[in-house]
Amino acid sequence: MPIYSINLTHYLDDMGLIEPKRGPARKMAEFLTAVVAHASDFDRPEEIPGPVCFRCRKRDQGIVDTGINEDWAIVWQCVACNTQGQISNWEGTFWDLSSGLESN
Ligand SMILES: [Zn+2]
């Protein structure tokens, strides 16, 4: 299974908004930002599911597990198709819900 290693800023414009307006890149960017919001919300109740996997959403509606690794990169893995990835440079974006916690 492929592992997607992504620098989130590649999908953002100068204002920090999602740059691709349509097509697969837009879908990918929306998925990635949803993963970041899910993984970085440390107050999130356990039962709130992760985003639907961008790869198998049409067929399996797979939900991804999210987390943060020792390098402070966000990691995710689809429970249905096992696609997994890492997201770097997410801190300080609009979808970073952890703001302030790191420096406390
Ligand atoms: Zn999947």
Side-chain angles (χ1 to χ4, degrees), residues 53 56 78 81:
C53 175
C56 68
C78 176
C81 71

Side-chain angles (χ1 to χ4, degrees), residues 82-103:
N82 277 327
T83 302
Q84 52 187 297
Q86 269 193 28
I87 306 171
S88 59
N89 287 81
W90 55 272
E91 296 124 295
T93 65
F94 289 125
W95 300 271
D96 175 5
L97 303 181
S98 72
S99 55
L101 286 183
E102 221 188 333
S103 54

Side-chain angles (χ1 to χ4, degrees), residues 52-57 59-64 76-83:
V52 175
C53 175
F54 76 96
R55 262 186 111 226
C56 68
R57 76 194 136 82
R59 193 187 64 215
D60 295 327
Q61 289 282 307
I63 297 295
V64 301
W76 57 269
Q77 178 163 11
C78 176
V79 299
C81 71
N82 277 327
T83 302

Side-chain angles (χ1 to χ4, degrees), residues 39-53:
S40 64
D41 183 1
F42 301 132
D43 295 328
R44 165 177 49 82
E46 240 358 85
E47 64 269 20
I48 294 187
V52 175
C53 175

